[in-house]
Structure formats: C-alpha cells, structure tokens
C-alpha cells in the first residue's frame, strides 16, 4: 500500500479548530458519547477549556516529534530570564518571568519541560517500530468529508503512505496504557479517523498508536490497532452519530443519568 499524500489539507491548528462548529470531529463525538448535555454546552461555547501544563507538554512534544525542531522552536519559547543573583531562572510566578513571558507572544516551556520533551523525542527515535512509522509521511494533515450523513473533519498526527494512520500519545506510565486507551476511547478516536479517510480514498488503512512516557524511564511502545477493535469501534461510532442526529433534530440533550439507577456492591 502506497497512497498519495496530496489529499491532505495543510492548515494551522487554530484554523482547524475554528471550523469545529461546522464539522464533527472525533473528540466531539466522544464528548457526545460520554454526555450529550456536555457536548451541547461545548458546542454552544458555554464551556471553554483551559490549557493545563500537561496539555502544553503533550502539544509541544507532538510538535517536536512530528513536525520537527524548526516548527517547535518557532511555536514555543523555552526557558526564561536568569536571576543574576542565583544564576538560575526566575520562578514562573515572579514578576520578571511574567513580563518576559508576555513579550514572547507564544506558549512558554520551562527548562525542565524542554528537557522532558527532548527525552521523549529520543525515546521515540530509539524505538525501532516508531522510527519506521515516522520515517516518511505527513504530519497534522487535515481531511474533510461526509461520514454517516454529517460533514466531518480529522487532523491526523501522522500519515505514512506505506503503513497508514499513526497516532501519537503521551502518557505517565506505559504499564497502564492499554487500560487508559479503553478509558479515553482511543479506539473510537482512531476508528473515526480511519472511516473519514476511507470516505476520501475508499480504503480502510491500518492504524498504529505510538505511546511515550512523560517521565523516567521515558519508555516508548507501539501498538497496531486490530481490525476487530476498529470494526467494533466503528459500529459504536456510527450508532452514536445516529443518536447525535436525533438529538440535534429534537434539540434534546440528556446527561445520561436521568433514570434511577441501582447500586449493587458485593
């Protein structure tokens, strides 16, 4: 399998996210599955997310690992002003640091965060399978297509024209990655990617997940998502899309906890 990568749209992340009100994404669909009421509040702009330090670290690691050092250094400022009295950086809550941060006009990574990201990059490069998947391909390619009767969009971490879809995840402990994948519905996310891409290329390509730890020992693992898992997740996604269309039609947004439940602990 070798596919043409010219099908992908190249656009900044903020432009992609600005179109979320017009196109269904995998994250929106997973929000709906978890709680239709939450999905609708986000859709209406009544809930806005705040970027945590963990999210900042993950985003910066994605940029360096997938898009390269030039893009990383263009998008992020690293470090901060040095206190001449101590020879160490000012704390990130001090007036000196906050003034310096304001001048940068872009997200700021501490030296410790920068070292962590460099260690993650090294871990990915040292993994034979991860290195092969990321040797050739397109980073952050966008596809828009109709899927299950709705306009949808995806932004793939990486697409390798020989191997297929590659999703990069950062985690605290690789030991628990498979259970985390189930909890965060990664299988539904990548199945959505696979199907929206299929709507354009008329082929269900393989899907791989690279996961790398954000702390020592910075282990990196690679998983190929099985065809059975993707088929099950595809059925779940398509059933959820039908429920989403019904909710939009009736403008009814439930929490999922309207009925009395029985708690049985034995």
């Amino acid at each position: 399998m070798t596919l043409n990568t010219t099908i992908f749209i190249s656009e900044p992340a903020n432009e992609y996210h600005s179109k979320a009100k017009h196109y269904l994404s995998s994250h929106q669909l997973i929000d709906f599955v978890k709680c239709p009421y939450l999905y609708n509040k986000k859709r209406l702009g009544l809930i806005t997310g705040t970027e945590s330090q963990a999210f900042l670290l993950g985003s910066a690691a994605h940029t360096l690992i997938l898009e390269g050092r030039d893009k990383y250094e263009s998008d992020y400022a690293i470090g901060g002003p040095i206190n001449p009295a101590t020879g160490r950086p000012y704390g990130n809550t001090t007036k000196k640091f906050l003034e310096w941060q304001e001048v940068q006009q872009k997200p700021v990574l501490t030296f410790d965060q920068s070292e962590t990201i460099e260690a993650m990059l090294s871990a990915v490069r040292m993994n034979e399978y991860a290195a092969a998947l990321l040797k050739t391909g397109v980073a952050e390619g966008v596809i828009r297509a109709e899927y299950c009767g709705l306009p949808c969009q995806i932004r793939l971490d990486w697409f390798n024209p020989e191997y297929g879809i590659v999703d990069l995840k950062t985690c605290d402990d690789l030991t628990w990655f498979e259970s985390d994948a189930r909890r965060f519905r990664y299988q539904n996310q990548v199945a959505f990617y696979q199907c929206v891409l299929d709507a354009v290329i008329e082929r269900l390509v393989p899907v791989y997940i690279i996961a790398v730890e954000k702390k020592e020992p910075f282990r990196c693992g690679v998983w190929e998502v099985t065809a059975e898992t993707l088929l099950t997740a595809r059925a779940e996604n398509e059933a959820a899309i039908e429920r989403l269309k019904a909710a939009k039609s009736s403008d009814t947004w439930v929490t999922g906890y309207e009925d009395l439940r029985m708690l049985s602990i034995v």
Side-chain angles (χ1 to χ4, degrees):
M1 176 190 76
T2 302
L3 296 175
N4 190 343
T5 57
T6 60
I7 59 171
F8 292 100
I9 301 166
S10 176
E11 66 185 29
N14 59 351
E15 182 178 343
Y16 172 82
H17 293 302
S18 72
K19 297 176 181 177
K21 57 182 149 184
H22 304 298
Y23 296 92
L24 178 67
S25 70
S26 63
H27 289 94
Q28 290 173 325
L29 184 60
I30 291 170
D31 276 345
F32 177 80
V33 169
K34 290 191 294 187
C35 177
Y37 183 62
L38 171 68
Y39 161 85
N40 192 49
K41 292 195 80 171
K42 285 187 175 181
R43 182 176 69 92
L44 296 174
L46 300 176
I47 297 177
T48 55
T50 56
E51 187 174 283
S52 66
Q53 287 300 303
F55 181 83
L56 174 64
L57 184 72
S59 296
H62 271 72
T63 301
L64 179 59
I65 294 168
L66 300 175
E67 300 184 81
R69 191 164 299 279
D70 288 346
K71 176 71 170 169
Y72 172 67
E73 293 179 353
S74 171
D75 286 1
Y76 296 90
I78 298 170
I82 302 298
N83 185 333
T86 64
R88 298 176 59 83
Y90 285 99
N92 59 10
T93 60
T94 62
K95 181 180 178 182
K96 286 280 189 183
F97 180 87
L98 294 174
E99 289 175 346
W100 175 84
Q101 183 181 42
E102 187 175 351
V103 170
Q104 305 311 306
Q105 296 295 305
K106 55 186 175 182
V108 172
L109 300 167
T110 66
F111 287 117
D112 286 345
Q113 288 174 320
S114 174
E115 288 177 4
T116 295
I117 291 166
E118 295 290 347
M120 294 165 71
L121 172 64
S122 295
V124 170
R125 286 179 171 174
M126 286 190 296
N127 184 289
E128 175 186 354
Y129 294 99
L133 289 170
L134 299 178
K135 184 176 181 180
T136 303
V138 175
E140 306 296 349
V142 173
I143 292 285
R144 294 190 174 91
E146 185 174 294
Y147 173 48
C148 294
L150 291 180
C152 298
Q153 66 176 8
I154 58 174
R155 184 179 173 89
L156 302 181
D157 284 347
W158 187 263
F159 181 79
N160 183 304
E162 181 179 354
Y163 292 105
I165 295 168
V166 183
D167 201 51
L168 176 66
K169 301 295 185 188
T170 60
C171 64
D172 288 324
D173 190 333
L174 214 58
T175 305
W176 311 113
F177 177 74
E178 292 182 18
S179 59
D180 285 344
R182 296 184 189 94
R183 182 160 64 102
F184 295 120
R185 297 182 181 271
Y186 291 160
Q187 72 276 17
N188 296 92
Q189 179 186 0
V190 295
F192 185 88
Y193 292 166
Q194 187 193 52
C195 291
V196 173
L197 181 60
D198 172 54
V200 175
I201 66 173
E202 299 182 345
R203 178 184 291 185
L204 292 171
V205 302
V207 178
Y208 299 85
I209 298 177
I210 299 171
V212 59
E213 291 176 331
K214 296 182 285 187
K215 62 182 182 182
E216 291 284 1
F218 297 105
R219 294 176 297 176
C220 175
V222 179
W223 284 258
E224 181 176 0
V225 186
T226 67
E228 294 80 7
T229 296
L230 290 165
L231 183 63
T232 299
R234 178 177 191 168
E236 292 171 348
N237 287 350
E238 292 180 354
I241 290 173
E242 292 307 310
R243 296 196 303 274
L244 173 58
K245 290 193 285 191
K248 285 185 174 181
S249 178
S250 64
D251 196 25
T252 302
W253 307 97
V254 300
T255 66
Y257 287 83
E258 282 75 14
D259 295 331
L260 177 67
R261 295 179 175 226
M262 303 303 292
L263 178 63
S264 176
I265 302 175
V266 294

